[in-house]
Amino acid sequence: MKYLNAFIVLFCLMESCQFKQKSMNSEQTEEDSYQSVYHFTTPSNWMNDPNGMVYYAGEFHLFYQHFPDSNVWGPMHWGHAVSEDMIHWEHLPIALYPDSLGFIFSGSAVVDYDNTTGFGSELNPAMVSIFTYSNQQEELKGSITFQNQALAYSLDSGRTWTKYADNPVISNPGIKDFRDPKVTWMEEFDKWVMVLAVKDHVSIYSSKNLLEWTHESDFGKEEGAHGGVWECPDLFRIQDDQGNWKWVMLVSINPGGYQGGSGTQYFVGEFDGRVFSTNQEKVKWIDYGADNYAGVLWNNIPDSDGRKLFVGWMSNWAYANKVSLVNRRNMMTIPREVSLRRKENDHVLAMVPIREMESIGVLSTSGALTELEKGMQTNEAYRLDVQIESMEGTVELVFTNEDKDSLFLSVSNNELIVDRSGCGNVSLATIFSRQHKASLDGIRNLSIFLDRSSMEVFANDGEVNITDLFFTRSPLQRVQMVASEADIQARFEYRKIEVEEPI
């Protein structure tokens, strides 16, 4: 479906981009070498925010912002894929298309097991998507009420969708940025709860049936980072490592992220069914790299699993339309398991790769970390795990290729740094070549996941993470340790990562 209009043409001219029609059978280009080995990506063309993440009948559903007619942002659809393990994905037809009410912007999906909507039945519950309509025609006319919340439902496990006849279910109250509903059934309050991004804060709504909504409260006008528009919120209850229950709110922001461009902050606090509150004084970020944005949690994970499962968009709005991917632009992060840990009088949100990643990593070699001083040949997709017994000074891992591109990772007891400034094409944006730093309170371990054009670093069991893209002239297939005047006792394990079926 083509849905180009003056707004999109103007946008792309401003980005110095040219629409190029692509098909599923486009010829491979040299830049396809950047495509992921083990990260989720669309079959073709543009992708951004993960949407509608829900588990049902043995399948993880991942919808996503998608423009099927170009590899730059355009009229938004919901792409769709399903998986049994969040690694091997089956791509399905587009779920939601733009229509006279607007583009299909970000949102969420739930399974209405109690048939509160009346769309399904107890034997065949409806899968319901809650999304933002963004009406480009109204926006071009100068209206500020062009974003509204709407529903669609499916009775066949998300394969086909019917839009609710009485959309929108929440009309815009007069706010330009009014979008990205994340909805969850909260058993403790016996109602659906929605968190909605509203310009520079979050509005909380509730409903008994997903059709009629009550505005309960607002959060964030005086809390958190405010360097840009708030987007893609999530609110969930989680037990910390000492058995205490807390509430966590995720909020993405663009611009104003920690490393420039877009980023995601989080708040730890309390929620009574109407009001979310926090005593948190400083801004907290889920990631200290530049390329983890708009992530939220899967809904309806069964109690027998019990995990909080997250995935984010691996890019940054400062350069997303320019990254060096042609046939398919942009990827998702590794899916991550979320936990909450008590640190003195504070909490830290930790994220680690899902355990299913263990099934695609083949142990190739291991040994004392000092054995890497002479360097080691690697594959183009792998994980490197480092267990640190003791360390004084600074250790640097250098990832290089035959073209002398270099990606640097530096770690001490006080700081973790990823430096991609010498790593091929860094001209995409001013912020691209910045060092990405995170403070550490000691260092216990590192897990480094490298793919053809991305690095994800998890330090201290995921308490500090750095996610970064890079675009080298050839694969980074050598790693070397530099430990000048450092004293370190540590071991490493190197695992090649292979996926039998295309993602």
Side-chain angles (χ1 to χ4, degrees), residues 193-312:
V193 173
M194 173 193 293
V195 283
L196 188 70
V198 182
K199 193 176 180 179
D200 61 351
H201 63 278
V202 170
S203 287
I204 298 173
Y205 290 79
S206 70
S207 174
K208 290 291 187 179
N209 58 12
L210 295 176
L211 309 177
E212 301 161 318
W213 291 90
T214 299
H215 176 245
E216 299 284 6
S217 64
D218 295 315
F219 169 79
K221 292 182 180 180
E222 304 297 330
E223 293 86 5
H226 285 276
V229 175
W230 283 26
E231 298 186 302
C232 301
D234 198 355
L235 177 64
F236 56 93
R237 188 171 181 248
I238 188 170
Q239 194 171 27
D240 70 17
D241 58 351
Q242 297 182 9
N244 302 305
W245 288 98
K246 303 295 290 185
W247 288 84
V248 173
M249 183 180 289
L250 305 180
V251 182
S252 293
I253 182 172
N254 177 54
Y258 178 75
Q259 302 291 2
S262 45
T264 302
Q265 56 189 319
Y266 71 92
F267 305 88
V268 181
E270 306 296 336
F271 181 60
D272 63 4
R274 295 187 62 252
V275 176
F276 176 81
S277 59
T278 182
N279 294 323
Q280 184 173 307
E281 296 181 355
K282 65 178 183 179
V283 179
K284 297 182 178 181
W285 302 95
I286 67 166
D287 202 295
Y288 292 89
D291 296 305
N292 182 0
Y293 189 65
V296 293
L297 272 59
W298 261 280
N299 278 334
N300 293 106
I301 299 299
D303 292 340
S304 57
D305 183 314
R307 290 178 293 174
K308 304 294 184 183
L309 299 172
F310 166 100
V311 74

Side-chain angles (χ1 to χ4, degrees), residues 8-123:
I8 297 305
V9 173
L10 177 60
F11 178 89
C12 293
L13 287 174
M14 290 174 66
E15 292 291 324
S16 299
C17 295
Q18 179 180 0
F19 280 148
K20 297 178 182 179
Q21 303 302 320
K22 299 288 181 181
S23 70
M24 293 287 288
N25 298 317
S26 298
E27 290 187 9
Q28 294 293 100
T29 70
E30 182 179 347
E31 289 181 319
D32 284 317
S33 63
Y34 296 129
Q35 294 293 353
S36 164
V37 172
Y38 57 89
H39 290 84
F40 177 85
T41 186
T42 178
S44 64
N45 290 316
W46 173 268
M47 178 182 75
N48 59 286
D49 303 357
N51 295 156
M53 294 151 58
V54 66
Y55 180 87
Y56 179 63
E59 293 180 324
F60 293 91
H61 291 258
L62 174 58
F63 302 88
Y64 52 90
Q65 291 285 276
H66 180 45
F67 183 30
D69 292 332
S70 175
N71 65 356
V72 295
W73 189 93
M76 286 293 98
H77 303 53
W78 270 27
H80 188 196
V82 294
S83 173
E84 294 181 357
D85 60 5
M86 296 172 283
I87 296 173
H88 302 86
W89 292 90
E90 176 188 356
H91 294 283
L92 297 177
I94 290 170
L96 298 175
Y97 287 82
D99 58 35
S100 61
L101 294 181
F103 299 166
I104 311 296
F105 272 24
S106 292
S108 51
V110 298
V111 180
D112 186 14
Y113 283 109
D114 293 330
N115 198 29
T116 64
T117 58
F119 293 155
S121 65
E122 290 188 10
L123 294 179

Side-chain angles (χ1 to χ4, degrees), residues 367-435:
L369 188 62
T370 52
E371 293 177 16
L372 294 183
E373 288 181 318
K374 296 181 180 180
M376 181 178 71
Q377 291 298 118
T378 66
N379 302 95
E380 59 185 1
Y382 61 90
R383 64 180 292 179
L384 185 67
D385 294 293
V386 182
Q387 293 292 327
I388 301 170
E389 182 178 333
S390 64
M391 184 171 68
E392 296 295 334
T394 299
V395 171
E396 191 171 78
L397 294 174
V398 185
F399 304 82
T400 57
N401 60 18
E402 59 187 15
D403 296 302
K404 298 183 179 180
D405 297 326
S406 297
L407 178 64
F408 296 89
L409 184 151
S410 175
V411 63
S412 68
N413 278 300
N414 301 315
E415 192 171 50
L416 177 67
I417 301 173
V418 172
D419 186 346
R420 59 184 180 182
S421 62
C423 204
N425 182 9
V426 296
S427 64
L428 299 175
T430 302
I431 71 167
F432 199 88
S433 59
R434 294 176 182 169
Q435 286 188 344

Side-chain angles (χ1 to χ4, degrees), residues 414-482:
N414 301 315
E415 192 171 50
L416 177 67
I417 301 173
V418 172
D419 186 346
R420 59 184 180 182
S421 62
C423 204
N425 182 9
V426 296
S427 64
L428 299 175
T430 302
I431 71 167
F432 199 88
S433 59
R434 294 176 182 169
Q435 286 188 344
H436 297 160
K437 301 180 180 182
S439 296
L440 295 175
D441 182 16
I443 180 67
R444 303 187 303 275
N445 52 60
L446 291 170
S447 289
I448 302 162
F449 286 75
L450 190 136
D451 207 338
R452 289 172 176 162
S453 58
S454 65
M455 175 182 278
E456 291 166 271
V457 183
F458 303 87
N460 292 344
D461 303 305
E463 292 176 5
V464 173
N465 301 327
I466 292 181
T467 303
D468 279 332
L469 295 174
F470 57 84
F471 300 101
T472 52
R473 288 168 287 183
S474 58
L476 296 173
Q477 292 188 300
R478 181 177 173 81
V479 60
Q480 182 178 9
M481 187 195 79
V482 179

